[in-house]
Amino acid sequence: MSIKRFIPSIYLYQTNAVTDLNDTTIISDEPLKLAMFYAEHGADELLVFDMSQNDNEKQEALDIIKSIAENIAIPLIGAGNVSRLEDVKKFLYSGCKKAALNYAKGSNITLTAEVSAKFGKDKIIAGIGEKDEIIKNEKILNEFVSEIIIINEHLIRDADEISKLPLILHTPKISLDKIIELLTKPVNAAITGNAINHNAKELFKIKDLCRENGITLSEFKPALEFSELIKSPDGLIPVIVQEIDTNEVLMMAYMNEEAFNSTLKSGRMTYYSRSRKGLWVKGETSGHYQYLRSLAADCDKDSILARVTQLGVACHTGAKNCYFNKIIEQKNTERKSPAQVLETVLAIINDRKTNPKEGSYTNYLLDKGIDKILKKMGEEATEIVIAAKNPHANEIKYEIADYLYHLMVLMAEKEIGWDEIMEELAKR
């Protein structure tokens, strides 16, 4: 099936978003806000080109990409200045779901197999400017690449003949009619570039126009229709909302059929407000959007569990979730997860840093500074190696616990939280 996607592009040059790869006219000095605008207006993904000229600019660009990844919930594609495995790694570790190799550089063709083996074929895109590059490298592309970005306007006209791989057509500013014409081609293609950037405000309307023309979009297809669910007499069904990464229950709201269908179309959680008697997109005022990841009905089909990516907080009070008014809580019955234990210990260490306690070993380490902390980590790592040779498991457990404690002292010293570490591991 040919599925169409809309992918705005941001061209990063000296911390600004500029017109395109050939024009460094500044269109925004706040690339993050521009990225959020694209995400809020219906973009399916976002392509970010790094146009940096030196190492300092490269790091600034990566910091911006990381910030974008943390503040929008649509996938990012990183492109530009890739010539080594390390460059691909930096894009992916900054939050990009994929990285693009420009095949105009012969070395990137050679690099394809290596980065695909390291990170997975689904993470690698090839940027193609000439048809010969596809013909000569067809075997490599089919084996190691998930998509192709067509960056030559003339090649776009022959998109049907280029490759069986999904395509991303990097298109200059064109009319809406031309966009629809491109989308009616049978090839499995997305559109990016200024063709989308200049029409970003109208993406939801363009998608409606695509549906009217029978063009298949990248959107949710429900296994159950709303008519199959059991509603209250006023046509509403309760929705329990859960954060997909942490399993935290965030809130409860209601949907009618219009809210249900709007959620599926936009990918953003949309509810029916009983007090306002109308639809509301969660986060439309606050910016704390909820992006749909899955919906499931319960056994009676009279309630829905929505698993979402929550940007910011869920509750209008500013709390992370709406369930903070304790009614009953039996002491010493809650079994803490490993993540909770690590968070608790790190919180205590950070408290010692802010509020020193006389005689505290943690404060002793923090007062001695980084060299002492690192020396202790080296000692504890050695203890783990020695304990691992012991046939009894208890000793190594004790040594690992000691090492984790000293690791958390280092994290406190460097002001790093467990959420940052877990996010980094999840990306990998």
Side-chain angles (χ1 to χ4, degrees), residues 285-297:
T285 302
S286 65
H288 298 161
Y289 291 98
Q290 292 173 348
Y291 285 83
L292 175 62
R293 298 299 179 233
S294 72
L295 293 178

Side-chain angles (χ1 to χ4, degrees), residues 120-339:
K121 175 180 179 177
D122 62 316
K123 303 284 189 185
I124 307 304
I125 297 177
I128 301 289
E130 301 296 336
K131 195 168 185 178
D132 283 350
E133 291 171 4
I134 295 177
I135 296 170
K136 287 189 296 186
N137 301 294
E138 185 176 12
K139 187 173 184 297
I140 291 174
L141 292 169
N142 289 333
E143 188 172 352
F144 299 115
V145 167
S146 63
E147 290 183 273
I148 295 174
I149 298 179
I150 302 299
I151 53 180
N152 184 322
E153 187 178 348
H154 300 294
L155 276 185
I156 289 171
R157 298 169 190 167
D158 302 320
D160 290 348
E161 307 167 14
I162 285 176
S163 173
K164 293 179 181 178
L165 286 170
L167 303 179
I168 300 174
L169 309 179
H170 189 266
T171 313
K173 184 180 177 181
I174 55 177
S175 67
L176 181 57
D177 288 345
K178 287 288 185 183
I179 291 176
I180 298 300
E181 182 183 326
L182 276 177
L183 291 169
T184 55
K185 289 178 177 288
V187 68
N188 189 3
I191 297 182
T192 190
N194 282 326
I196 301 304
N197 293 2
H198 286 274
N199 290 282
K201 283 185 179 179
E202 308 300 327
L203 280 184
F204 286 122
K205 291 180 181 177
I206 294 173
K207 288 184 176 183
D208 285 337
L209 191 58
C210 287
R211 295 183 190 99
E212 291 171 13
N213 283 273
I215 296 170
T216 304
L217 301 174
S218 175
E219 57 188 9
F220 294 98
K221 305 294 182 187
L224 287 174
E225 298 294 337
F226 193 78
S227 59
E228 300 175 75
L229 303 174
I230 308 301
K231 281 82 66 179
S232 62
D234 50 5
L236 302 179
I237 188 167
V239 183
I240 306 298
V241 186
Q242 184 181 37
E243 166 61 55
I244 193 164
D245 291 332
T246 64
N247 292 325
E248 182 178 4
V249 176
L250 300 174
M251 56 177 278
M252 192 278 282
Y254 292 90
M255 279 184 179
N256 62 5
E257 185 168 10
E258 188 180 1
F260 179 85
N261 290 332
S262 178
T263 296
L264 297 180
K265 284 183 179 181
S266 69
R268 294 182 298 176
M269 296 304 295
T270 305
Y271 305 104
Y272 180 81
S273 169
R274 295 177 300 170
S275 59
R276 286 175 275 179
K277 301 191 184 306
L279 297 190
W280 59 288
V281 178
K282 176 66 178 172
E284 200 163 43
T285 302
S286 65
H288 298 161
Y289 291 98
Q290 292 173 348
Y291 285 83
L292 175 62
R293 298 299 179 233
S294 72
L295 293 178
D298 72 344
C299 54
D300 296 320
K301 297 181 183 176
D302 61 0
S303 69
I304 292 173
L305 174 65
R307 288 168 63 76
V308 306
T309 295
Q310 172 73 58
L311 298 184
V313 300
C315 186
H316 72 282
T317 64
K320 174 68 180 188
N321 70 66
C322 296
Y323 296 96
F324 51 80
N325 293 306
K326 302 280 187 196
I327 299 175
I328 295 173
E329 185 177 31
Q330 190 173 355
K331 299 295 182 184
N332 303 320
T333 57
E334 186 176 344
R335 187 182 177 92
K336 285 193 172 183
S337 70

